[in-house]
Amino acid sequence: FITKVKSPRVVFVRPVSEDDAYEMLLETVKKASNNSSKICDKPKIHGYILAPYRQSFHRAKVLDFFEPDEKDCNTKVLIVDFGDEIKVKWQECRILNYQTRGIKTYIFKIVLDSIEINREHRDIMVYLNDIYQNNEALLISSVRGDRKVLKRINGEIVNDKINEMAMATSTDNA
């Protein structure tokens, strides 16, 4: 399953075979957050905390700090078990205990192989987000290292479809 579309080239995925373990992980994190207190001191960059996300608290890696925005958010975090980057107010985050921090994640960042575009295309992002929204199971093939090919159940190669859409967009703009 795709859990987050970062760009036409980068997505976060979760193996279907790990559904039960993933659900148990989320329940464990929820219980840990219920027993955790708010952070008193500013966390360190690359440190781990519990951050508010989707009406609950989830494991998060601190990526950066910045001046407060219109919502008083001042910290950029990666929600480890979803692959999503969000802005939060660190003062509203909670302490993440070592036991919960050490549980393996079931989300993996993959880079799609042979994608021939260097900028974001709206129609490609819609295509990938449709796969994500439909919770469609995908087959993943390794090509070279972290480079991957995604294949839909109907046989369509996602990488080829993205390139086809990119070519159509560049032809339309020519």
Side-chain angles (χ1 to χ4, degrees), residues 33-147:
S33 71
N34 290 339
N35 297 323
S36 185
S37 55
K38 281 191 175 182
I39 293 174
C40 296
D41 298 319
K42 186 176 181 180
K44 295 179 180 167
I45 289 189
H46 303 297
Y48 289 86
I49 58 177
L50 289 166
Y53 179 74
R54 294 186 178 182
Q55 293 88 40
S56 190
F57 283 84
H58 293 278
R59 299 187 301 175
K61 180 178 182 179
V62 177
L63 301 177
D64 199 8
F65 296 104
F66 49 87
E67 291 299 316
D69 63 14
E70 65 279 351
K71 295 180 182 175
D72 281 336
C73 293
N74 55 12
T75 309
K76 183 178 182 181
V77 298
L78 170 68
I79 304 298
V80 176
D81 299 309
F82 290 88
D84 209 357
E85 290 180 10
I86 63 169
K87 295 176 182 179
V88 298
K89 185 175 179 180
W90 71 259
Q91 294 87 339
E92 294 177 353
C93 295
R94 296 182 181 174
I95 297 169
L96 176 60
N97 67 44
Y98 288 109
Q99 294 85 359
T100 307
R101 177 182 165 193
I103 299 171
K104 117 179 188 182
T105 185
Y106 295 94
I107 303 299
F108 304 95
K109 175 182 171 181
I110 64 169
V111 179
L112 299 177
D113 190 57
S114 301
I115 302 298
E116 301 171 11
I117 57 174
N118 291 317
R119 59 186 168 77
E120 196 171 294
H121 288 269
R122 180 167 163 56
D123 54 340
I124 294 170
M125 295 299 285
V126 168
Y127 168 73
L128 289 170
N129 277 307
D130 282 347
I131 294 171
Y132 160 66
Q133 293 293 330
N134 292 327
N135 282 325
E136 186 176 334
L138 301 167
L139 302 171
I140 302 172
S141 304
S142 291
V143 178
R144 291 179 296 275
D146 68 343
R147 300 275 187 196

Side-chain angles (χ1 to χ4, degrees), residues 1-4 11-29 59 79-83 100-110 140:
F1 293 114
I2 293 177
T3 62
K4 175 67 180 170
V11 294
F12 286 83
V13 297
R14 174 177 54 85
V16 174
S17 61
E18 302 284 358
D19 274 356
D20 291 341
Y22 180 69
E23 291 303 321
M24 283 179 45
L25 162 73
L26 295 180
E27 189 59 35
T28 299
V29 171
R59 299 187 301 175
I79 304 298
V80 176
D81 299 309
F82 290 88
T100 307
R101 177 182 165 193
I103 299 171
K104 117 179 188 182
T105 185
Y106 295 94
I107 303 299
F108 304 95
K109 175 182 171 181
I110 64 169
I140 302 172

Side-chain angles (χ1 to χ4, degrees), residues 152-167:
R152 297 176 82 173
I153 299 301
N154 66 8
E156 178 181 76
I157 305 294
V158 173
N159 305 50
D160 293 345
K161 180 68 173 177
I162 291 170
N163 282 327
E164 178 185 309
M165 295 170 81
M167 293 301 290

